[in-house]
Amino acid sequence: ASKPLPANAYNPDEFKGMKVSSEVEELFQYITRYKPHTIELDTTLKPFIPELIPSIGEVDAFIKMPRPDGEASGLGTVCLDEPTLNPTDQAILDLQLR
């Protein structure tokens, strides 16, 4: 009462009638003798943190003064928000973000 083999599994009955040397027959016996080991792998959560490229050397603190009229300014989300004293060259920023 042997267990049925899974699909595409090695079946030694398919290779019994082969005309090969005794060394090769012995090799085929190693296939059926092999028992795979169950190994418990330690897993650690490593979060993915993308590289941050600040525009002026410091990370924007996202502290924005609201507009007096109450409208959304879009600074930092729609257009680049940085001081005008040390602006980033647009071509260099495009190359860094690629």
Side-chain angles (χ1 to χ4, degrees):
S2 63
K3 295 187 284 186
L5 295 172
N8 298 325
Y10 171 72
N11 186 355
D13 295 336
E14 294 176 10
F15 301 96
K16 279 190 177 175
M18 292 179 58
K19 295 179 183 173
V20 292
S21 67
S22 60
E23 293 174 348
V24 175
E25 283 182 9
E26 188 178 331
L27 285 175
F28 275 93
Q29 291 175 6
Y30 280 103
I31 297 173
T32 54
R33 281 192 231 149
Y34 176 75
K35 300 292 181 225
H37 302 283
T38 303
I39 300 172
E40 193 69 33
L41 297 177
D42 294 333
T43 56
T44 56
L45 179 63
K46 294 182 181 179
F48 171 72
I49 301 173
E51 238 180 81
L52 200 70
I53 304 173
S55 61
I56 57 171
E58 295 180 14
V59 178
D60 186 8
F62 299 108
I63 300 172
K64 308 276 189 271
M65 293 300 294
R67 286 177 39 168
D69 60 359
E71 293 291 320
S73 66
L75 284 177
T77 56
V78 176
C79 63
L80 189 62
D81 177 27
E82 64 181 335
T84 57
L85 297 175
N86 189 11
T88 302
D89 184 9
Q90 184 65 33
I92 294 173
L93 183 63
D94 284 340
L95 288 173
Q96 288 177 337
L97 292 177
R98 286 185 190 175

